[in-house]
Amino acid sequence: MTAGARFRGTERFELLGRLGEGGMGVVFEARDHQRGGSVALKLLPSLSPDAILSFKHEFRALADLSHPNLVSLGELVIDGDDYFFTMELIRGVDFLQWVRPADHPARIEAPSADTMQVPLHQLEREAPARRVRAVAREPRRFDERRLRDAFGQLVRGLAALHGGGKVHRDIKPSNLLVEPTGRVVLLDFGLVADLDAARRGEGTLVGTPAYMAPEQAASKQVGPPADWYSAGVLLYQSLTGRLPIDGPAHQVLLRKQTDEPIAPHDLVEDLPDDLGELAMHLLRFDPAERPSGRRLARRLGLPEGEPASLDTLSSVGDAVPFVGRLPELRQLAEALADAGARAVSVLVLGESGVGKTALVRHFLDGIGAQRAEGPVVLEGRCFERESVPYKALDGVVDELARWLGRRPRNEVEALLPRQAPLVAQVFPTLRRVEAIADAPRSVDVLDPLELRARVFLGLRALLERIAAARPLVLVVDDLQWADADSLLLLHEILRAPAPAGLLFVANVRVSDDAEGVVRSLGIPGDVRRIPVGRLAVADAEQLARTLASRLGAADAAVAAAIASETDGHPLFIDELVRHTVIGGAHPGERRLEDALAARLQALEPPVRAFVELVSLAGAPLVHEAAAHASGLGASELARAVAMLRVSHLLRSGGVRGQQTLEPYHDRIRQTALTGMTEEVRRAAHRRLAVALEQVGGADAESLATHWRGAGEARRAAENAVRAAEEAGQALAFARAGRLYRLALELDPGASA
């Protein structure tokens, strides 16, 4: 029985129907009973180690990206043998059905199954069939208005993906759905790759032959130009109704190395010159001759300034250059040196977006460049929106599987402890390592606790053996999202006597109670802390100058003013530089609030209203209450939260449980509230009060604040009295007195 036929959903996700099936997964429509509304649910059909690795990578590839033309992902769940993730439910037709409605009935088509992922040498090399040129031109059958708009949205979405350091590698009609409103959504990221990995090439042919770029068809290095070639195939097909190079897959792959397609003007009458020329330009054999996203934006006539907005919304680290942090880098280097004698742990602490990840990334780049046989670095990240066993170390073990898979078999066999097959039972991606897959499995029936103890012991022993041969660095980003099982496993790996040669580095987001967060992690042994704060003045000015020079401007006085206004916060420096240079801010108007206000104003009205709502809450707002108060549908809300979180306007909180939302920084809160009229503010207070009462668990003082803001003095007074009574019971008499006075001010007839 296939996974798709066996899967019946979960208590939270009720299956409503099957939407499509392909080699990369089975997609269902499901109802989310926890958050309400319908979602698309993609189930992994194969439990092979490679398939599991690719499936997790597909979800994580978009964790730090958000754009209206990229599908918004929900949560990754691993429950026994069921691997699935959720995403927004897109109801629409594929790209060709939208732009050539006369050729297609209006229906939703299952994803095409012609994606390939095979070694190049397996393809049969036959002589390509002789190409026959058309004699008579056909009348055009595409909707030009729809095509121009939809293709422009594809350009925006792809530019966002490339700006986030990713290449899709499988652009085709079935991976682009268009909603009835005309919104184009790029989906199916099963073959997405980081740019560095894609450019290295992998000896494997991946993609759909008809849409592959010549370099991709030859399994050579690929980058964004390969996706632009595929977009050119799509544009050509939209204009002409046919593929530029067609035939059996192996012939198409060979012909892409030698043949040029027939010009669209030779096939279709009355074709717009610019679109036909653009298609041929995108189909150039040489990747360097294809237009970039910004050049495409200009050729398509997108609004002035649109190319600048093509930059993706992505997390800090990739977009902002690294400057300064010399004391912190020295501390990391000292920890690595000391780890030669005993295991050392380093917790890099700081608020969201201040540069923790960039600091560790810069340190790792440095130690990797020192020598060919440098430290073994295994990196992972603890993702907030994942329900994955041992999720803090899941990515680290995936990297371990990749590293072992590249080593000679005899070397791997020397490293493996006898518990290795048991470790692979919990972390299936390790079974892609031949020496582990072939190792004899224990036939003992173990108590679950005993089994877990042996798994922990086996992973520790494996890491200890690697560290004995070469320095070993384990890196986990966002450790604050770790689950209890992950922390138990970490404790086992790092407990005394901890393995010599091992350095464990974790980035931990903290705000006020750093001590409490560190204490909750319970990392044993030699644990060092590196707080990462705002940049020093000189470093902040250097960052401002560097960012401004990227945009074609450099002024020392402007850089100094920006550094001062932003108080050395890297993200806000980037924000204000863009506002100053791209937005053309007047020299006397370089205020961070102006930059933030401009960005909030550029949001869609419902999304901007959601930011204002969360800002008005005055405290972290539980997700369920935010959903009730916003009035947004499940898919709209998920997309808004993802975009606002990635663009650092909102941030998530909550400790391994109920998710909360709050403004990323108090200056964002202040800017959002400044833009609200009194009428809008009053209505938002009412929605918050009603939502908090519906969800339950809200403190009485918060309810009093929101009912007061809504103009409901009596209900505000009732909650103020309740809050005062609770304060009195806790012996907080000053607070109780303040709340009683508030109740009397609101309702002089109250019984306070």
Side-chain angles (χ1 to χ4, degrees):
M1 180 181 293
T2 64
R6 173 183 52 77
F7 185 62
R8 292 289 182 268
T10 68
E11 183 177 346
R12 175 180 172 183
F13 296 105
E14 175 191 355
L15 300 188
L16 302 179
R18 184 182 297 230
L19 298 177
E21 182 172 0
M24 310 301 288
V26 186
V27 183
F28 299 92
E29 180 179 351
R31 176 167 294 281
D32 183 348
H33 288 293
Q34 180 176 316
R35 295 190 174 171
S38 295
V39 296
L41 185 152
K42 184 170 184 177
L43 178 74
L44 177 65
S46 165
L47 295 183
S48 72
D50 284 341
I52 292 172
L53 201 60
S54 296
F55 193 75
K56 289 190 289 188
H57 176 71
E58 177 181 358
F59 179 85
R60 291 167 181 170
L62 290 190
D64 285 334
L65 294 174
S66 181
H67 190 274
N69 300 118
L70 303 178
V71 69
S72 178
L73 300 186
E75 300 176 43
L76 172 65
V77 178
I78 299 178
D79 184 8
D81 288 338
D82 294 327
Y83 289 67
F84 64 86
F85 62 75
T86 61
M87 52 190 165
E88 64 174 315
L89 180 64
I90 309 297
R91 300 188 187 277
V93 296
D94 78 29
F95 192 94
L96 285 181
Q97 291 175 330
W98 178 256
V99 301
R100 296 180 66 88
D103 291 353
H104 302 274
R107 58 189 173 86
I108 299 177
E109 194 172 80
S112 62
D114 52 356
T115 297
M116 300 178 67
Q117 192 164 1
V118 298
L120 188 61
H121 64 78
Q122 291 183 8
L123 290 172
E124 181 183 359
R125 293 186 174 274
E126 297 181 0
R130 186 173 63 86
R131 184 176 53 175
V132 179
R133 286 191 174 271
V135 177
R137 294 194 299 170
E138 299 177 352
R140 72 176 188 178
R141 298 172 61 84
F142 62 90
D143 185 318
E144 182 177 349
R145 181 188 60 80
R146 283 189 174 188
L147 176 57
R148 288 185 183 276
D149 175 68
F151 195 75
Q153 292 185 61
L154 171 59
V155 168
R156 293 184 184 96
L158 269 180
L161 188 69
H162 297 158
K166 311 289 181 185
V167 59
H168 191 279
R169 303 196 297 178
D170 201 21
I171 303 298
K172 58 185 178 182
S174 59
N175 284 344
L176 284 159
L177 291 184
V178 188
E179 295 178 325
T181 59
R183 175 189 169 217
V184 176
V185 185
L186 176 60
L187 60 158
D188 202 339
F189 292 83
L191 298 182
V192 73
D194 294 332
L195 287 180
D196 288 342
R199 285 171 177 146
R200 286 195 299 269
E202 50 189 23
T204 299
L205 188 68
V206 295
T208 303
Y211 296 88
M212 285 184 192
E215 65 271 21
Q216 188 178 357
S219 196
K220 295 180 180 178
Q221 298 178 352
V222 300
D227 281 346
W228 294 127
Y229 181 96
S230 301
V233 176
L234 187 68
L235 178 58
Y236 186 102
Q237 195 175 10
S238 300
L239 294 171
T240 67
R242 63 183 71 186
L243 292 163
I245 298 178
D246 203 0
H250 54 276
Q251 289 188 7
V252 168
L253 295 173
L254 292 175
R255 287 178 56 194
K256 282 179 181 283
Q257 310 305 315
T258 57
D259 289 10
E260 288 189 1
I262 301 170
H265 291 86
D266 293 338
L267 298 172
V268 179
E269 298 174 350
D270 191 27
L271 200 69
D273 290 340
D274 63 325
L275 293 180
E277 291 170 0
L278 180 58
M280 294 300 288
H281 200 173
L282 287 166
L283 295 174
R284 295 278 177 85
F285 182 84
D286 184 352
E289 294 183 1
R290 298 171 204 151
S292 65
R294 290 180 181 273
R295 290 171 59 196
L296 278 170
R298 286 194 292 270
R299 291 182 64 164
L300 290 170
L302 298 181
E304 191 66 29
E306 182 74 14
S309 70
L310 293 176
D311 293 325
T312 184
L313 298 173
S314 61
S315 66
V316 71
D318 294 327
V320 179
F322 185 84
V323 298
R325 309 293 192 194
L326 294 181
E328 293 89 345
L329 289 170
R330 278 195 296 271
Q331 292 178 69
L332 284 167
E334 290 169 2
L336 178 61
D338 292 345
R342 64 188 182 283
V344 175
S345 299
V346 178
L347 301 181
V348 181
L349 309 170
E351 64 179 304
S352 175
V354 80
K356 303 183 299 295
T357 302
L359 169 66
V360 174
R361 177 78 266 146
H362 193 76
F363 167 70
L364 295 177
D365 290 344
I367 63 174
Q370 290 173 5
R371 56 189 184 276
E373 287 297 306
V376 177
V377 178
L378 304 177
E379 297 181 69
R381 179 176 169 191
C382 189
F383 288 88
E384 174 191 357
R385 293 175 292 152
E386 287 190 359
S387 298
V388 174
Y390 305 102
K391 69 176 186 175
L393 290 166
D394 187 71
V396 169
V397 177
D398 286 350
E399 284 296 302
L400 175 61
R402 292 189 182 96
W403 183 81
L404 291 171
R406 295 192 295 266
R407 314 306 296 176
R409 176 157 181 156
N410 61 336
E411 180 183 327
V412 174
E413 288 175 342
L415 293 171
L416 295 182
R418 57 186 176 82
Q419 302 95 338
L422 294 178
V423 179
Q425 188 173 319
V426 173
F427 297 100
T429 54
L430 286 172
R431 293 201 295 265
R432 72 196 304 262
V433 182
E434 289 184 1
I436 296 178
D438 296 342
R441 300 174 186 273
S442 171
V443 295
D444 296 340
V445 178
L446 299 175
D447 172 85
L449 291 177
E450 174 65 19
L451 175 61
R452 186 174 76 167
R454 294 194 189 183
V455 168
F456 283 16
L457 187 64
L459 183 57
R460 174 188 166 104
L462 176 56
L463 296 175
E464 190 169 10
R465 293 181 184 187
I466 295 172
R470 289 171 59 183
L472 175 61
V473 183
L474 305 183
V475 181
V476 177
D477 206 359
D478 283 332
L479 188 63
Q480 75 276 357
W481 299 119
D483 57 297
D485 290 324
S486 295
L487 296 178
L488 285 173
L489 178 51
L490 261 179
H491 191 280
E492 172 63 24
I493 293 170
L494 298 170
R495 66 170 172 79
L502 172 62
L503 174 64
F504 173 66
V505 180
N507 289 326
V508 185
R509 195 185 79 191
V510 296
S511 50
D512 299 327
D513 186 17
E515 187 61 40
V517 173
V518 171
R519 192 166 48 248
S520 72
L521 297 175
I523 307 297
D526 182 353
V527 181
R528 307 177 187 186
R529 306 180 189 184
I530 300 180
V532 178
R534 308 298 175 88
L535 290 170
V537 173
D539 294 332
E541 291 179 4
Q542 180 187 343
L543 177 58
R545 285 195 302 271
T546 302
L547 290 169
S549 65
R550 282 184 176 183
L551 299 171
D555 185 310
V558 170
I562 289 174
S564 175
E565 170 67 13
T566 57
D567 194 24
H569 196 297
L571 273 180
F572 290 155
I573 292 172
D574 185 36
E575 187 78 36
L576 194 48
V577 166
R578 291 176 182 274
H579 178 67
T580 301
V581 179
I582 298 175
H586 188 273
E589 298 175 351
R590 295 189 189 95
R591 296 193 315 123
L592 179 58
E593 281 70 18
D594 295 331
L596 295 174
R599 184 134 72 94
L600 290 173
Q601 194 60 37
L603 296 173
E604 299 173 7
V607 179
R608 184 170 66 251
F610 185 70
V611 177
E612 294 171 347
L613 184 81
V614 175
S615 298
L616 193 66
L621 185 64
V622 295
H623 193 286
E624 190 176 357
H628 279 290
S630 69
L632 295 173
S635 291
E636 292 175 301
L637 180 64
R639 187 161 65 90
V641 169
M643 183 192 72
L644 294 169
R645 178 170 42 211
V646 168
S647 58
H648 291 101
L649 288 171
L650 297 184
R651 65 181 180 184
S652 300
V655 182
R656 295 186 288 277
Q658 198 169 35
Q659 185 190 56
T660 60
L661 296 168
E662 60 183 312
Y664 167 77
H665 191 276
D666 197 54
R667 294 183 76 166
I668 292 174
R669 183 196 308 275
Q670 293 168 3
T671 304
L673 294 179
T674 300
M676 299 178 73
T677 65
E678 187 57 38
E679 182 180 358
V680 169
R681 191 183 294 241
R682 189 181 301 112
H685 272 301
R686 176 180 293 279
R687 294 200 306 275
L688 283 167
V690 171
L692 288 170
E693 287 186 341
Q694 286 179 336
V695 171
D699 67 278
E701 186 172 1
S702 293
L703 288 171
T705 298
H706 292 307
W707 282 122
R708 182 186 189 187
E712 296 275 358
R714 184 183 58 79
R715 299 182 74 169
E718 291 171 356
N719 281 283
V721 169
R722 185 158 62 90
E725 292 171 347
E726 292 171 356
Q729 292 170 4
L731 308 183
F733 301 126
R735 181 168 180 263
R738 175 176 58 80
L739 289 165
Y740 279 129
R741 282 194 296 273
L742 174 62
L744 287 169
E745 290 172 8
L746 292 168
D747 184 5
S751 60

